[in-house]
Amino acid sequence: SKAVNEQWAAYLGTELTPEEAVLAKQFEAAREHFAADGFQPLQTALRAGDLDTARRLNDDKIPALYDSVRTSINALVKLQFDEGKKEYVQVMEQHHQSRMTAIAAAALGIAVAVAFGWVLVRGISRSLQQASALSQAVAEGDLTTQVDTHGKDEVALVLQSLATMQTHLGHIVLQ
């Protein structure tokens, strides 16, 4: 029929593998042979009302002709199924690889964040320990304790204020 021929032409217009092209040609030849030597004569006999010829064609010729059509289309379908399965496996492998890459990137990101957090907490803890040590020394009357007040963060500002307080207290005590 016209619709079948249009679908077949559309299929042939797609990208076919070499093996698929060979199987498609085999199917096309078997289909044309079936139509020319089996289906069209059967249709002609039926239209003419020649039931004996139609019966003979239907019983003897059509099954043999259709076997080659069935064999060729089954081979083509099997090839397409196998190719689809290969493509599916390939896509799944790519998906797995992408997923593993994403997991590795996330793990690396977490590790970098943890390391950065540890360095940040360690820096703050050291500065707070210095501030605590300086406050304790001043509270005990030791105005000679030296503290590193470099930096521009809040803890460095507290250390600078404590160092200034220590210096001023030292001047008061000396007076």
Side-chain angles (χ1 to χ4, degrees):
S1 78
K2 182 180 176 181
V4 171
N5 289 338
E6 288 174 358
Q7 290 294 320
W8 182 249
Y11 167 73
L12 291 177
T14 63
E15 186 176 330
L16 304 176
T17 66
E19 185 179 358
E20 189 176 15
V22 168
L23 290 174
K25 284 182 184 182
Q26 288 173 355
F27 169 72
E28 193 168 35
R31 182 174 171 247
E32 287 173 6
H33 183 59
F34 173 78
D37 296 343
F39 186 71
Q40 289 173 353
L42 176 63
Q43 196 175 30
T44 302
L46 288 172
R47 284 186 181 145
D50 185 357
L51 295 180
D52 290 334
T53 301
R55 221 177 259 118
R56 186 177 40 79
L57 286 169
N58 189 52
D59 292 344
D60 299 335
K61 201 163 194 175
I62 295 228
L65 291 173
Y66 188 72
D67 279 344
S68 64
V69 172
R70 182 184 315 113
T71 301
S72 60
I73 195 66
N74 285 344
L76 186 57
V77 167
K78 182 182 180 323
L79 174 72
Q80 289 177 335
F81 179 78
D82 292 345
E83 287 297 316
K85 187 176 179 180
K86 278 186 217 174
E87 287 180 22
Y88 173 79
V89 167
Q90 185 179 29
V91 166
M92 289 307 293
E93 287 173 359
Q94 289 172 348
H95 170 73
H96 178 73
Q97 184 64 33
S98 296
R99 185 175 177 200
M100 290 295 111
T101 301
I103 289 170
L108 179 63
I110 290 170
V112 167
V114 167
F116 178 75
W118 181 77
V119 167
L120 185 63
V121 167
R122 187 169 172 229
I124 292 170
S125 294
R126 279 187 184 165
S127 295
L128 288 175
Q129 285 173 351
Q130 286 180 342
S132 177
L134 180 59
S135 297
Q136 187 66 33
V138 170
E140 293 174 359
D142 181 5
L143 300 177
T144 61
T145 304
Q146 296 295 316
V147 175
D148 179 19
T149 60
H150 292 76
K152 296 195 185 254
D153 62 0
E154 291 80 7
V155 177
L157 291 174
V158 168
L159 283 172
Q160 289 169 2
S161 295
L162 286 172
T164 303
M165 180 184 74
Q166 178 190 33
T167 303
H168 287 283
L169 284 173
H171 291 305
I172 292 172
V173 169
L174 289 176
Q175 293 178 352

